[in-house]
Amino acid sequence: DVKVTQSSRYLVKRTGEKVFLECVQDMDHENMFWYRQDPGLGLRLIYFSYDVKMKEKGDIPEGYSVSREKKERFSLILESASTNQTSMYLCASSLYGAGQETQYFGPGTRLLVL
Amino acid sequence: SQQGEEDPQALSIQEGENATMNCSYKTSINNLQWYRQNSGRGLVHLILIRSNEREKHSGRLRVTLDTSKKSSSLLITASRAADTASYFCATDARRLTGGGNKLTFGTGTQLKVEL
């Protein structure tokens, strides 16, 4: 079974702090994704990566950056956390190529920015 | 607006009853997926139906797809309390660089199954 883990289930940070959210998958998937989930807005794609050191912006990349130095690990960085980044953050991974549409999700990190 | 819109937003039924959730979308798709999310957890893939399929079954799940109406339904038969969760449809909005699809998720249907 695919396993996607996220470094923290709950996180409380202060405005202006630099925040790192880490995601690790153990199935050698090429694609990795970061979403945020807010009530009434569903899941929105922040960034995704299709290979080591490769990344592409999603729908809401402002205020975020990402890093993928190893295939299994994809980090989301909030350079200077703000209260409007309080949210549930979900990481996902998938295989490369046509017919590989299923995404496998981690348990989520609930971030509170005070 | 969301590519996928689920209906109803919330559904409460008794254990043993069937639950039906609907999803509408706006643009053409290659496939549609349904995911489940238990409270405060990540999403779990349930089933995928391709645009050339009309119906698909998996255990107690039955999914239909009507591409002419741009809609899909998820039926859970003989529901159990453990089916209590949020259910999301996801459509493949566009191909991504390097392969795979960008999925667009709806806002979900919250299902509560009471004993």
Side-chain angles (χ1 to χ4, degrees):
Chain A
D1 283 349
V2 177
K3 190 169 182 183
V4 180
T5 57
Q6 294 183 228
S7 51
S8 304
R9 289 295 318 282
Y10 301 94
L11 212 50
V12 180
K13 295 292 180 181
R14 299 226 172 257
T15 301
E17 279 192 76
K18 190 168 186 175
V19 182
F20 292 88
L21 303 181
E22 295 201 322
C23 174
V24 177
Q25 49 95 4
D26 66 357
M27 284 303 291
D28 205 33
H29 284 176
E30 290 81 9
N31 296 326
M32 295 189 75
F33 307 83
W34 274 107
Y35 295 89
R36 65 176 282 176
Q37 182 179 24
D38 301 287
L41 296 176
L43 274 76
R44 294 178 291 167
L45 182 65
I46 305 171
Y47 267 99
F48 76 96
S49 168
Y50 50 91
D51 201 351
V52 174
K53 296 191 188 295
M54 306 306 287
K55 61 185 179 185
E56 191 168 315
K57 293 179 180 179
D59 299 318
I60 51 164
E62 297 77 20
Y64 303 94
S65 63
V66 290
S67 171
R68 193 164 179 201
E69 297 297 319
K70 293 185 178 181
K71 190 175 185 180
E72 68 271 18
R73 189 180 298 269
F74 190 35
S75 301
L76 180 70
I77 303 153
L78 287 66
E79 294 289 342
S80 178
S82 63
T83 54
N84 62 14
Q85 292 178 309
T86 291
S87 186
M88 173 72 141
Y89 290 88
L90 293 164
C91 174
S93 70
S94 73
L95 284 166
Y96 164 91
Q100 307 295 341
E101 296 87 351
T102 298
Q103 294 185 13
Y104 298 86
F105 284 81
T109 295
R110 194 169 291 279
L111 173 66
L112 173 63
V113 183
L114 299 172
Chain B
S1 61
Q2 296 288 330
Q3 164 77 325
E5 299 277 354
E6 287 92 345
D7 171 59
Q9 288 188 333
L11 180 61
S12 183
I13 59 174
Q14 297 293 312
E15 199 172 47
E17 294 180 338
N18 295 342
T20 300
M21 289 158 268
N22 303 296
C23 170
S24 60
Y25 57 92
K26 293 182 171 61
T27 62
S28 62
I29 61 172
N30 293 309
N31 63 71
L32 184 145
Q33 302 179 56
W34 286 91
Y35 287 80
R36 164 195 168 129
Q37 183 180 35
N38 286 61
S39 179
R41 308 291 297 188
L43 278 70
V44 175
H45 177 257
L46 293 176
I47 196 165
L48 180 152
I49 187 165
R50 301 201 182 276
S51 59
N52 61 354
E53 297 175 308
R54 291 296 165 257
E55 187 170 312
K56 201 162 183 181
H57 296 253
S58 177
R60 293 185 296 112
L61 305 180
R62 174 179 165 247
V63 170
T64 62
L65 179 64
D66 186 336
T67 53
S68 66
K69 294 181 179 178
K70 291 187 170 59
S71 68
S72 173
S73 67
L74 171 67
L75 168 68
I76 304 174
T77 60
S79 62
R80 306 166 182 167
D83 294 328
T84 295
S86 293
Y87 293 82
F88 295 86
C89 67
T91 53
D92 59 330
R94 66 175 173 87
R95 296 287 297 172
L96 298 171
T97 304
N101 289 325
K102 176 182 181 292
L103 297 182
T104 298
F105 291 82
T107 52
T109 292
Q110 286 186 299
L111 172 66
K112 184 175 181 181
V113 181
E114 300 187 78
L115 295 169

